Amino acid sequence: MIKSELIEKLAAENPHLFHRDIENIVNAILDEVGDALARGDRVELRGFGAFSVKNRPARVGRNPRTGEQVDVGEKYVPQFKAGKEIRERLNGG
């Protein structure tokens, strides 16, 4: 599901709300999650999961085409851990 599909589904389930208001709400939520991760904060949505930031230290990699060593710098990547309720729904529990 992509963001526009999510907005359409929410609009269909909530006909009393304007489409633009639903779009603004979804964008605000996603922007706040992104901002929190950029600050290094953890975002937990009970029953769904938790987003956090993981540090990947610098390392030496290899160019797959030439086999030449390449320095790969330190970086931060988002990480998601599914919550108990969503894991149970996925596994039919």
Side-chain angles (χ1 to χ4, degrees):
M1 175 181 285
I2 59 176
K3 185 167 70 168
S4 61
E5 292 172 341
L6 174 63
I7 292 168
E8 291 300 324
K9 184 166 177 61
L10 290 172
E13 292 176 2
N14 298 284
H16 59 283
L17 297 174
F18 291 113
H19 188 276
R20 70 177 180 271
D21 292 339
I22 293 173
E23 186 173 358
N24 289 338
I25 291 167
V26 169
N27 285 334
I29 291 169
L30 295 177
D31 288 344
E32 188 55 39
V33 169
D35 292 345
L37 290 174
R39 289 190 305 268
D41 294 342
R42 182 174 186 267
V43 178
E44 182 178 337
L45 303 172
R46 293 286 169 123
F48 183 72
F51 297 91
S52 60
V53 178
K54 182 179 179 183
N55 179 318
R56 289 205 179 150
R59 62 184 175 84
V60 176
R62 292 203 178 270
N63 181 331
R65 184 169 292 167
T66 64
E68 176 184 349
Q69 287 189 350
V70 179
D71 290 328
V72 179
E74 175 185 50
K75 60 181 150 184
Y76 296 90
V77 293
Q79 184 177 20
F80 175 75
K81 182 177 180 186
K84 181 179 177 183
E85 289 179 31
I86 198 166
R87 280 195 316 266
E88 288 175 351
R89 287 177 66 184
L90 291 173
N91 294 308

